[in-house]
Amino acid sequence: MARLRDLAKKPSPLTSGHRACSGCAFPQVARQVLLAADTPVVVVIATGCMEVATTIFPYTAWQVPWMHCAFENAASTLSGIEAAYRALKKRGVLDKDIRFVAFGGDGGTYDIGLQALSGALERGHRLLYVCYDNQAYMNTGIQRSGATPTYAYTTTSPAGKVIPGKTQKRKDLTEIVVAHDIPYVAQSTPAHWNDLITKVQKALAVDGPSFINVLQPCRLGWTFEADMAIELARLAVDTCFWPLYEVVNGEYRLTYRPKEKKPIEEWLKLQRRFRHLFTPENRHLIDELQAEVDRKWERLLKKCGLA
Amino acid sequence: MSQVAKELMALTGNEAAAYAMRQINPDVVAAYPITPQTELMQTFAQYVADGLVDTELVTVESEHSAMSACVGAAAAGARTMTATSSQGLALMWEVLYIASGLRLPIVMCVINRALSAPINIHGDHSDAMGARDSGWIQLFCENAQEVYDNVLQAVRIAEEVFLPVMVNYDGFIISHGVEVVETLPKEVVQAFVGERKTPYKLLDVEHPITVGALDLQDYYMEHKRAQSEAMRTAMPTILKIGEDFEKLTGRRYEAIETYRLDDAELAIVALGSTCGTAKDAIDELRDEGLKAGLLKIRVFRPFPWKYIQTALRGKKAVAVMDRAEGMSAVGGPVFHEVRSCLYDLGDRPPIVNYIYGLGGRDVSIEDIKKVFNELVPIAETGKVEDFYRYLGVRE
């Protein structure tokens, strides 16, 4: 259980002055994840918003050892660093305890980086991979990804006269990672800082790979007011669109259960990417999304032994 | 000359590379299997399993991840090696440029194999030639002995010039052919390669560094200029390391090797195992009275233009052998570069190109003699009709 009072005293791993959009939630994700670590960390980031907004030569916002290699290979790059750590420790060149954290957006994780992630998890490297999932290729200008929810508008799945946004389902990456049978998998959001920090601490404590999927509201891509990112993350959880849960050695546990399950509509209506659904002829699409949220929520409750 | 005890071993090219890696004992090796590289990696994996090396072997899920893991490991501060062939090198393409752009001293054996399509597992240089602009130093080997020797030297070259190095050798012809290889004792190898020293490493958590920052119009060009300067000035270091190696072994390694070239009138330029065939062909031709000679390129990147220019000056006719089709419609990649470096000579020799040996097509002594015989009329007339030729192909 972390205390804000203590966290506030720790030096920030990410300085201010970076160039993230106003109202963006990824800096909170990065800061919360890294503040959770009590040992030094080495960070690798996939190409994406977090990489371009926090470095531009000769400047860097990172106060920890940090590397960017390419888009699809944050997991494999970090696995090489972790292997180097083990080799140098074995030789007695290095005696420090160091932890290894990768950050990748949903494009770099769900899609182009899925193979590298899967390989790194299978090989059992002791590293934490954090996906900051903002549900589209936001860095290149809001193109659809495997993480984009059904019926969301993106520039490559626009809502038009005959097609209402992305018609395919969202890939459930957390479940794909669970199938790798690694020691620790979880979902969280920056709105639930204590949930996220506790999960990071659990993840870093396991002697093996761990993965946390963090929903990160994107002001530009989802299109909402600059002060609404945290509220949208909270609503995603309270509507049960993005449940907070963890899977520890294959055992599912819900880490937060909304007192009152809010209708998905409340989350949708605050985002312009779903605006086209709020017409009389598209009303049934919202009902369809609600049914899908309900189905997946019930399925998760069963896995958690709560149904 | 040699001061140290040597051992003669019967090794394939792959085994010679694996044995050199065993003696180097790198911190990290990340690799993915591909024919004809597999024998190297499985031999090395056995060394790991038997505790003969301390290396962390990262058996990745693709060559893209192999090179990515190498980039991470090298940036972390580890001595890092890998090996691949053909499609594997092609899949690494994106990350090859990152390795060199970040100035990471990775050593990679490239067991040269044709690129698909059509799919073919045998030796040619189309993989390495596709990576010739990737910012890696490229060494080419004629036989298994040179594989062993070049792998040892590559570690020092990479770490002294801060550029990654590819050690190229022909798939199957060298990788799977057994030869007698003279090896050094492990402690001599260890003393030769030394410890990796690097001023910046990710694992130095007290001194955090940012590696791979976004680099736009303000600085990208200066960084590329600095990288090109490293390549431009690498040759003296490569030659110095060659001299150090010669002191240990008596075997001489330079940018190029010449064989009966000084007084030759007709010259061929080649890389890799063909040079051995060419030497035999030249001996026979010399017996027949033809003044034939060979220029073997050992260091292809940095391109040894000054050495080539000097060696080919005054020749009456030159044939450049390309074991890769550049698809430029005007000849192969080695031809273009050799021809270009002769431009500044007042008295330029006439020059022709032969595309040969693609997909492992055999090249015999007779084939090489045919090339020299076709140079005879060119030398006599000074004229070249069709400079872009194929050797040993059914038309």
Side-chain angles (χ1 to χ4, degrees):
Chain A
M1 187 78 177
R3 294 195 308 172
L4 276 179
R5 202 189 312 162
D6 299 331
L7 294 173
K9 284 181 196 150
K10 291 178 100 174
S12 178
L14 183 71
T15 63
S16 56
H18 57 70
R19 293 165 297 114
C21 302
S22 65
C24 173
F26 88 60
Q28 287 95 314
V29 176
R31 210 173 278 129
Q32 289 177 24
V33 166
L34 297 177
L35 282 175
D38 290 322
T39 38
V41 290
V42 175
V43 174
V44 167
I45 297 209
T47 308
C49 291
M50 201 185 273
E51 167 250 335
V52 300
T54 56
T55 69
I56 184 163
F57 190 89
Y59 304 107
T60 179
W62 297 93
Q63 302 297 299
V64 294
W66 181 97
M67 182 170 193
H68 162 251
C69 184
F71 196 5
E72 68 282 60
N73 61 359
S76 43
T77 304
L78 190 62
S79 74
I81 298 173
E82 191 263 356
Y85 166 72
R86 275 185 284 126
L88 297 178
K89 254 200 149 174
K90 190 159 63 181
R91 290 214 165 138
V93 181
L94 199 71
D95 58 358
K96 268 196 179 329
D97 265 353
I98 303 175
R99 296 286 175 270
F100 301 91
V101 179
F103 289 99
D106 49 289
T109 310
Y110 282 67
D111 291 352
I112 198 168
L114 183 61
Q115 174 183 316
L117 173 66
S118 176
L121 299 177
E122 182 269 331
R123 292 192 298 275
H125 296 277
R126 184 170 183 171
L127 56 83
L128 165 62
Y129 192 107
V130 176
C131 177
Y132 63 105
D133 178 359
N134 50 36
Q135 304 197 318
Y137 291 86
M138 300 310 185
N139 188 43
T140 45
I142 320 166
Q143 290 82 28
R144 82 183 280 290
S145 78
T148 303
T150 312
Y151 301 135
Y153 168 100
T154 71
T155 55
T156 52
S157 65
K161 287 182 180 139
V162 293
I163 302 173
K166 180 183 170 180
T167 51
Q168 300 83 6
K169 279 190 182 180
R170 188 177 68 85
K171 189 192 281 188
D172 195 336
L173 178 66
T174 310
E175 289 300 306
I176 293 170
V177 174
V178 169
H180 287 72
D181 202 15
I182 60 170
Y184 191 82
V185 184
Q187 279 196 175
S188 194
T189 87
H192 306 77
W193 62 271
N194 216 338
D195 181 87
L196 176 55
I197 286 174
T198 305
K199 283 171 177 168
V200 171
Q201 287 172 339
K202 286 182 181 179
L204 292 177
V206 300
D207 188 10
S210 52
F211 176 86
I212 305 179
N213 205 353
V214 181
L215 187 71
Q216 180 245 304
C218 169
R219 189 196 161 195
L220 287 187
W222 299 14
T223 321
F224 52 74
E225 293 304 316
D227 60 353
M228 287 295 284
I230 295 301
E231 185 54 30
L232 276 158
R234 204 184 313 279
L235 266 175
V237 174
D238 285 341
T239 55
C240 298
F241 171 84
W242 191 265
L244 303 185
Y245 69 103
E246 62 187 5
V247 184
V248 185
N249 295 315
E251 296 293 321
Y252 282 73
R253 193 174 80 85
L254 206 61
T255 57
Y256 170 83
R257 186 165 190 170
K259 285 197 183 72
E260 175 208 353
K261 179 166 175 269
K262 293 186 174 165
I264 190 67
E265 192 175 338
E266 290 197 23
W267 184 63
L268 301 176
K269 73 182 180 194
L270 295 172
Q271 307 172 51
R272 281 241 301 274
R273 62 176 174 159
F274 293 114
R275 185 172 55 177
H276 56 285
L277 300 182
F278 290 86
T279 60
E281 62 273 24
N282 279 345
R283 177 70 228 182
H284 67 286
L285 300 178
I286 297 179
D287 297 339
E288 194 186 303
L289 291 178
Q290 183 65 59
E292 182 66 4
V293 169
D294 294 346
R295 185 182 70 83
K296 293 196 76 172
W297 174 244
E298 291 304 319
R299 194 176 67 181
L300 180 64
L301 288 180
K302 266 186 212 157
K303 287 179 178 172
C304 296
L306 296 170
Chain B
M1 284 304 287
S2 171
Q3 305 292 316
V4 297
K6 298 162 188 165
E7 190 183 350
L8 295 179
M9 302 173 76
L11 299 173
T12 65
N14 276 337
E15 288 168 347
Y19 194 72
M21 287 169 69
R22 170 179 162 179
Q23 295 186 311
I24 292 162
N25 196 11
D27 298 311
V28 175
V29 170
Y32 186 80
I34 184 167
T35 303
Q37 161 262 35
T38 34
E39 187 197 24
L40 190 174
M41 288 323 305
Q42 63 204 33
T43 305
F44 191 78
Q46 192 66 50
Y47 294 150
V48 175
D50 291 338
L52 296 169
V53 288
D54 306 314
T55 308
E56 285 294 327
L57 179 61
V58 188
T59 47
V60 283
E61 82 300 330
S62 72
E63 287 90 354
H64 193 283
S65 282
M67 189 44 63
S68 303
C70 285
V71 162
R79 180 170 279 164
T80 307
M81 300 182 79
T82 185
T84 194
S85 296
S86 182
Q87 308 303 117
L89 188 65
L91 190 57
M92 284 180 182
W93 196 83
E94 180 193 27
V95 197
L96 293 179
Y97 282 72
I98 296 171
S100 60
L102 293 178
R103 310 290 304 274
L104 298 170
I106 299 160
V107 172
M108 170 161 63
C109 293
V110 177
I111 297 85
N112 301 119
R113 165 186 150 181
L115 279 176
S116 207
I119 188 164
N120 178 298
I121 57 166
H122 290 281
D124 77 25
H125 296 161
S126 51
D127 50 6
M129 288 300 150
R132 70 188 184 277
D133 296 339
S134 64
W136 284 60
I137 288 172
Q138 290 184 313
L139 310 178
F140 280 81
C141 307
E142 182 187 319
N143 51 44
Q145 182 69 62
E146 291 193 5
V147 172
Y148 176 80
D149 294 350
N150 276 323
V151 169
L152 298 185
Q153 292 175 70
V155 172
R156 274 192 50 190
I157 294 168
E159 293 176 10
E160 287 184 31
V161 301
F162 286 92
L163 285 176
V165 180
M166 284 180 206
V167 179
N168 292 277
Y169 54 96
D170 293 338
F172 291 105
I173 301 164
I174 298 176
S175 69
H176 286 61
V178 179
E179 296 174 56
V180 175
V181 176
E182 192 179 281
T183 60
L184 295 165
K186 187 184 174 183
E187 58 276 13
V188 174
V189 169
Q190 281 291 309
F192 178 76
V193 297
E195 286 287 320
R196 184 186 165 197
K197 293 186 188 71
T198 181
Y200 305 107
K201 43 183 179 274
L202 285 169
L203 290 175
D204 184 0
V205 290
E206 264 99 44
H207 304 96
I209 54 168
T210 287
V211 181
L214 182 67
D215 200 35
L216 300 181
Q217 298 94 323
D218 269 2
Y219 284 98
Y220 181 87
M221 199 157 168
E222 281 71 25
H223 287 137
K224 284 292 152 190
R225 177 70 185 86
Q227 186 187 336
S228 79
E229 189 65 9
M231 185 62 91
R232 201 178 66 80
T233 56
M235 194 62 93
T237 307
I238 296 169
L239 298 181
K240 168 73 175 61
I241 291 164
E243 283 169 22
D244 289 351
F245 193 78
E246 187 184 359
K247 282 176 201 150
L248 284 179
T249 63
R251 291 187 293 278
R252 192 175 189 81
Y253 283 90
E254 296 178 298
I256 60 168
E257 179 190 322
T258 58
Y259 184 76
R260 304 184 83 163
L261 189 66
D262 287 353
D263 67 336
E265 291 173 349
L266 312 176
I268 70 166
V269 179
L271 292 73
S273 63
T274 302
C275 295
T277 313
K279 287 172 183 173
D280 284 338
I282 287 164
D283 287 344
E284 289 185 17
L285 289 170
R286 286 274 178 169
D287 291 345
E288 293 163 22
L290 207 63
K291 287 191 156 182
L294 166 72
L295 190 161
K296 170 174 116 182
I297 298 178
R298 173 202 175 215
V299 182
F300 184 67
R301 285 288 180 273
F303 190 69
W305 67 276
K306 195 176 66 178
Y307 302 89
I308 293 174
Q309 204 180 53
T310 306
L312 294 181
R313 185 188 294 272
K315 302 302 168 207
K316 290 190 174 162
V318 175
V320 178
M321 310 298 291
D322 261 298
R323 202 161 194 161
E325 172 47 280
M327 296 295 170
S328 70
V330 285
V334 183
F335 174 65
H336 288 150
E337 301 200 5
V338 172
R339 193 171 195 244
S340 170
C341 76
L342 299 183
Y343 183 83
D344 293 329
L345 291 177
D347 182 20
R348 289 189 290 269
I351 186 165
V352 290
N353 184 207
Y354 286 86
I355 308 291
Y356 79 103
L358 301 185
R361 174 64 52 88
D362 198 21
V363 55
S364 65
I365 290 172
E366 288 311 309
D367 290 322
I368 301 293
K369 286 170 81 171
K370 179 170 180 281
V371 170
F372 276 111
N373 286 325
E374 287 179 1
L375 286 181
V376 172
I378 294 171
E380 282 167 0
T381 62
K383 291 205 175 80
V384 177
E385 305 264 309
D386 47 337
F387 64 81
Y388 175 27
R389 303 170 176 195
Y390 263 74
L391 179 68
V393 71
R394 292 188 297 274
E395 298 281 6

